[in-house]
Structure formats: C-alpha cells, structure tokens
Amino acid sequence: MRRSGKTIVWPVPPALRGYKIAWLRHDLMAGAALFAILIPAGMAYAQAAGLPPVTGLYATVVSLIVYAAVGPSRVLVLGPDSALAPMIVAALVPLAADNEQKSVALAGLLAIMIGGILLLGSVLRLGIVTGLLSKPIRLGYLNGIALLVAVSQLPTLLGISVESGTPWDKLIAAAPKVIAGGANLTALLLGLFSLALISIPRWLKWKVPGVLVAVVLSCIAVGLLGLRENLKVTGPLPQGLPAPALAGIDWADVVTLLPAAAAIALIVFVDTGTLSQSLAVAGDGRVSGNHEMAALGAANAAAGLLGGFPVSASTSRTPVAVESGAKSQLTGAVGAVLVLGFMLAAPGATEFLPAATLAAIVIAAAAGIADPAGVRRLIGMSRSESLVMLAAFLGITVLGVLPGIAVAIGLAILDFIRRAWNPYRAELVDVPGVPGYHDLSRHPEGERIAGMIILRFDAPLFFGNGALLGSFVRDELDQAADGTQRVVLAAEPVTGIDTTALDELVQLDEWLDRHGVDLVFAELKGPVKDRLLRYGTGARFTPEHFYPTVGAAVRAFQRERRDE
C-alpha cells in the first residue's frame, strides 16, 4: 500500500489490472470448475512424489494465492505437477527413505531453494537459460518422465505395497508379488475403472472433468460396497491451514539438494514460461520472462514455507480454467479458497478415496504429457536431433531424472558445438536474371565472376573452426581457374570472432598475399569489424578491405580491372 496525497492507493496484482466487473461471474464459475479437479490432482501428485496427500493441497492453495497476487499471466494455473514427481522422489529418497516427516520437511526445503534460485535468476535476468532445453531435449524429457511416472504408479494401481525408491525399484519389487498372485484385484479394477472414467470425457470432449467423475464414483463404490477394509484408501485429511513443516533439516541437506534444486528450477521455469507465453500470444498479450521467473520463485518459496513442495504451471488444470471462461487470476484465487474451505469443513470426505484412483489420475496425466506424434515428426526431420532426443529419453529412464537431464543438456551443447565446428560453406555465383549472388551447389547454372571467388562461411569464427575457414578457402582456390586475384568472404553469417580464429585469418591473408590474391570482406557486421580493428589488425585490413554488400565488392573489383 502507498499514499498519494490524502488518498490511499492499494497495490493491484498485475493480472488484475484493468479488471472489468463483467468478468466476475466468469471468474467465479471458472474457479468453481477448477476446484473440482484441484483436490484430486493435488493429492494424486503428492502421492506420486512420495508425500502425504495433504501436502499437495497445501502446495495448491499457497501457489495459487501467491501467483494471483504477483503473477503476470492472466489465466495460468500453478500447482503440483506429475512431471515434477519423479524429480522430487529422486532428490528426497536418498535423504529421507521412509521417514514421512523428514520427507515433508525436505520437500519444503527443496521448494524454498527452487524459489530462491528462480528469484535470483530473475534479478540476474537469466530467462535465456531456457534455451538449454531445446525441442529434442524437451521431447525426450517429457516422454521419459511420462514413462517413469506411469511405472511408479503401477504397484499402487495393482494394490501392492513396496518400499520407496526409484520407479524401476518399485516395479522390480512388485514383480515377484504379482507373479505370486499378490495383486489386489479390487484395487486393479477400481484403478482401471477410474482410468476409463478419466479418459472417456476427454475423448468425447465433454466439459465435465473426468477426474472429478472418477473420484466421486470410486468413493461411492468403496462406501456402498464395503471395500474400505480390502483397499488402501487416502483416509481423512488433517484439519487445518497450511503451516510450516521444516523441522529436522540442516545445512548438509541444503548442500545435498542444491544440484536437484537447480535442475528442477530450470525445468519448472521452462515449462511455465512456455505455457505462459502461449497463453499470452493467444490473448494478444505479452508476458515478461523475468517477471514470470520471479512470480514462480515466490510461489515455490511460499509453498515450501507452508508445508507444500515444488510447483509448476499445470498443463491439465490451466485448460480447464480457460475453457470454463476464466478472465483473470481471480479464478485461481477462488479455486484456492474453495480448497481451503473443503479442508476446514469436510476433511473426512476423502475417507473412502482409494489410492488406486489417485494412481489412475497420475497415470492419465502422464499419458497426457507424452508426445509420440512429436517424436515421429522429429525423426522425420533431423537425424542428429533425434539422437539427442533419444539420449535424453534413455538418460532419464535409465540413469534417473536429474542425471538424465544433465546428460541431455551436455549432448545438446556438444551438438551445437559440432554444428559451429563444421558449418555450411558455399561458393556464391551470379545467376542470370536473379538479383544477388547465390549458392553454386543449388544453382549450377550460375556463373563465376572472372578473376574472383565469392565464398560464404555460415558460422561465427572461433577456435574450433578458424582453421576450417582457411582450408575451405585454399581448397576452393585449388579448384578455381588460373588468374584468381581476389577472394570475397560474404561475411554476414559471421557474428563473432575470437583471438584464435583471428590468428588463422591473418595466416590465411598472408598465404593469399604470397600467391597474389587479395582477401576482402562483404557485409561484415559492425561489431565484428570493430573487434578486428581492436585486435590490432587495422594496418592489415584497411578500410578498402570492407564492402557493404557482395555486389559492391564485385563492382569495385571490376572497375579496378577495367582501369588497369
């Protein structure tokens, strides 16, 4: 709050600026529709993360309220997410094992650390780091996560109790029990029934959330058929408001969780930023990446402080809000208030909710984030990027989520270096009737300029490819007709140069000079030219070595030949 003269001016949340009273009815209705899936989704994703279901509701309520107050997107919905569950499990299991209280405290600490990293990233304006997760990595990551999430829920769907661990550990532990006939047929049937109830409305494009239908009918079935004693059920929730639950953690936990927090923070921001920007474009708006990062950091830190765990944008609940007519973040705030009311007034309503139904909700969410069509498209487009995608998928499913992400990012960086190390190179020629100068390999009918070779090198010059440029020019000269007097480097793609590449360029110029050939540059960008001069090459590369266009370099050369 701030004072303006004698008038008190209350701060208005970014997403509520310009709010119209006509929107209120839409936001209230959308908030009620959103509430219908917030509770089962929050509880299910908490279970998938190896945490008590109530922590999912705490994380839901706190993140929605905080983002409504500071978030830049008008309709984005934050909360627990199935894609984060395996990463949370991977980070917490080595430190907490089966200690539920310790797990809750560590999950809160992890969310606080993620929030701190995102807030720091916003201050340092590090939104560009999202470029580390390219499309191939994201495809491999999402499909790998989808598989891990589904695998992790199979024992619960089968009604089998196993010790905590990685999804594969759980599956291996469950396999002998399944073979021995230890699966709970009732739990399996309820789980499959819930999966069908979730999927059918999606296929038929009904507006009624299938998750809500599955939860209500499975609870009714358990209550009416007296199945509670034969099934693992959620049971009544603790009655109360979100509160700190950070007891028992120390600085050693902070150090241990730091790599996981950094990796999850990157994933959280990429997923949220992508969805936020998509919503902004659809609404003819624009969202600041740094503002989004700060809001996401605040939401995670608050969720961690008040008994929750890491949150992200929800690709399943956000569309529900949009399709229900949401106009602003008031929708999320209404949903959060209704969840709070449920926790205070009817915590016993979950007494008959089977764990198998929550497992079905998570499996359905995992199926939703998988993208087999995207995999097929990428395979048909790029072999090298398909290999990066496969490496990300295998890294995440075999090595684990966090090591897999690190491996995938490393491979993507290596692939980028490989492309810069060996960029596309071309000789340019004059094509009759077509303005400009064009790639000879694509226009074999083109004509060379007598006495001149025009070459293009499509990459910044750095230590890895400087020698390649020299070899390229020498090879082209060897193949050219005798009498070549000038080499024009069409340098528009050259966006930078380092000292190693500069040494290679000087050596090339010296070699060409000994063979009676001049080296000139066309369309070299100003900052790169400034760097050349700053490196002390002004005496060698004088102003007459630079031309604004390839055409200007050709005309100047032809005038010189006529004047001789």
Side-chain angles (χ1 to χ4, degrees):
M1 182 183 73
R2 57 187 176 84
R3 293 181 178 271
S4 177
K6 294 183 179 180
T7 303
I8 297 177
V9 181
W10 294 92
V12 178
L16 294 179
R17 290 170 188 162
Y19 193 84
K20 301 176 182 178
I21 295 299
W23 293 353
L24 181 60
R25 179 174 62 86
H26 297 283
D27 283 337
L28 292 175
M29 295 297 293
L34 185 63
F35 161 70
I37 63 168
L38 288 177
I39 291 175
M43 295 172 67
Y45 300 152
Q47 174 179 287
L51 298 166
V54 71
T55 60
L57 301 186
Y58 290 159
T60 297
V61 168
V62 174
S63 61
L64 284 174
I65 291 175
V66 171
Y67 191 85
V70 300
S73 175
R74 281 198 175 273
V75 292
L76 188 71
V77 176
L78 255 59
D81 189 65
S82 59
L84 299 185
M87 291 184 277
I88 296 171
V89 170
L92 301 187
V93 165
L95 297 176
D98 292 323
N99 187 331
E100 184 177 281
Q101 184 178 358
K102 179 74 170 180
S103 293
V104 172
L106 289 172
L109 174 63
L110 183 62
I112 293 170
M113 294 173 66
I114 291 168
I117 291 170
L118 290 170
L119 288 168
L120 178 61
S122 175
V123 171
L124 298 178
R125 307 185 71 81
L126 295 181
I128 58 172
V129 300
T130 58
L132 291 175
L133 291 184
S134 61
K135 180 179 178 179
I137 291 180
R138 285 178 58 77
L139 277 173
Y141 158 74
L142 288 175
N143 286 284
I145 286 290
L147 178 61
L148 286 183
V149 168
V151 167
S152 71
Q153 296 304 300
L154 286 178
T156 304
L157 191 72
L158 293 166
I160 296 174
S161 297
V162 294
E163 294 183 0
S164 59
T166 68
W168 300 116
D169 291 338
K170 292 181 179 180
L171 188 63
I172 292 170
K177 297 182 180 180
V178 173
I179 295 172
N184 186 322
L185 185 59
T186 303
L188 178 59
L189 290 175
L190 266 177
L192 295 177
F193 177 63
S194 299
L195 272 174
L197 291 174
I198 294 167
S199 302
I200 289 172
R202 289 182 182 176
W203 294 336
L204 299 179
K205 297 183 179 179
W206 292 349
K207 290 189 176 182
V208 177
V211 169
L212 177 62
V213 175
V215 167
V216 171
L217 291 184
S218 62
C219 287
I220 291 174
V222 171
L224 291 181
L225 300 177
L227 303 177
R228 193 175 186 280
E229 300 301 323
N230 301 322
L231 290 170
K232 180 181 178 181
V233 294
T234 302
L237 296 173
Q239 190 173 33
L241 299 173
L246 298 170
I249 57 177
D250 54 37
W251 285 108
D253 296 323
V254 174
V255 174
T256 304
L257 289 177
L258 187 57
I264 298 174
L266 176 63
I267 297 296
V268 163
F269 179 60
V270 171
D271 283 350
T272 302
T274 301
L275 183 55
S276 176
Q277 293 294 341
S278 299
L279 292 170
V281 170
D284 295 326
R286 191 171 55 177
V287 171
S288 163
N290 287 309
H291 188 172
E292 190 68 79
M293 185 179 276
L296 191 57
N300 270 281
L305 283 169
L306 295 173
F309 54 87
V311 297
S312 180
S314 172
T315 54
S316 59
R317 280 152 286 170
T318 299
V320 170
V322 173
E323 292 167 7
S324 300
K327 301 295 183 181
S328 75
Q329 282 298 326
L330 185 59
T331 293
V334 169
V337 170
L338 291 175
V339 172
L340 275 177
F342 170 83
M343 295 173 65
L344 293 173
T350 61
E351 183 176 355
F352 297 100
L353 178 59
T357 295
L358 294 182
I361 293 172
V362 176
I363 291 173
I369 64 175
D371 188 6
V375 171
R376 290 193 297 269
R377 284 195 301 271
L378 186 65
I379 291 174
M381 292 167 61
S382 171
R383 180 180 299 177
S384 63
E385 290 187 304
S386 297
L387 291 175
V388 172
M389 176 189 66
L390 179 62
F393 177 81
L394 292 177
I396 287 169
T397 55
V398 176
L399 300 178
V401 179
L402 302 178
I405 291 172
V407 168
I409 291 176
L411 287 173
I413 293 172
L414 289 176
D415 185 53
F416 168 76
I417 293 174
R418 179 190 65 81
R419 292 172 185 271
W421 207 296
N422 187 30
Y424 187 76
R425 307 175 289 282
E427 179 183 356
L428 306 184
V429 293
D430 181 28
V431 179
V434 182
Y437 296 85
H438 306 275
D439 187 345
L440 177 61
S441 66
R442 303 177 69 87
H443 296 276
E445 75 279 12
E447 301 172 356
R448 293 185 173 94
I449 306 299
M452 171 184 282
I453 297 179
I454 308 171
L455 303 176
R456 195 182 72 211
F457 192 82
D458 290 354
L461 291 172
F462 72 111
F463 64 89
N465 64 19
L468 182 63
L469 172 63
S471 299
F472 171 52
V473 173
R474 293 182 181 93
D475 291 344
E476 292 296 320
L477 272 177
D478 290 341
Q479 299 174 26
D482 293 338
T484 300
Q485 297 174 318
R486 181 161 298 173
V487 171
V488 177
L489 181 62
E492 184 181 16
V494 178
T495 56
I497 186 170
D498 67 8
T499 55
T500 305
L502 177 65
D503 290 342
E504 296 285 353
L505 193 61
V506 169
Q507 291 173 20
L508 172 63
D509 186 56
E510 291 173 346
W511 184 87
L512 290 172
D513 190 51
R514 290 195 297 272
H515 289 77
V517 180
D518 296 330
L519 174 65
V520 300
F521 304 90
E523 302 177 7
L524 186 67
K525 297 183 184 300
V528 182
K529 180 181 176 181
D530 294 343
R531 182 168 292 182
L532 279 176
L533 300 177
R534 190 165 63 249
Y535 286 161
T537 60
R540 172 171 293 278
F541 299 122
T542 54
E544 57 267 22
H545 284 78
F546 302 96
Y547 294 90
T549 64
V550 174
V554 171
R555 291 191 294 272
F557 176 70
Q558 291 173 334
R559 282 196 304 269
E560 292 173 17
R561 296 196 71 177
R562 285 197 301 267
D563 294 341
E564 290 179 355

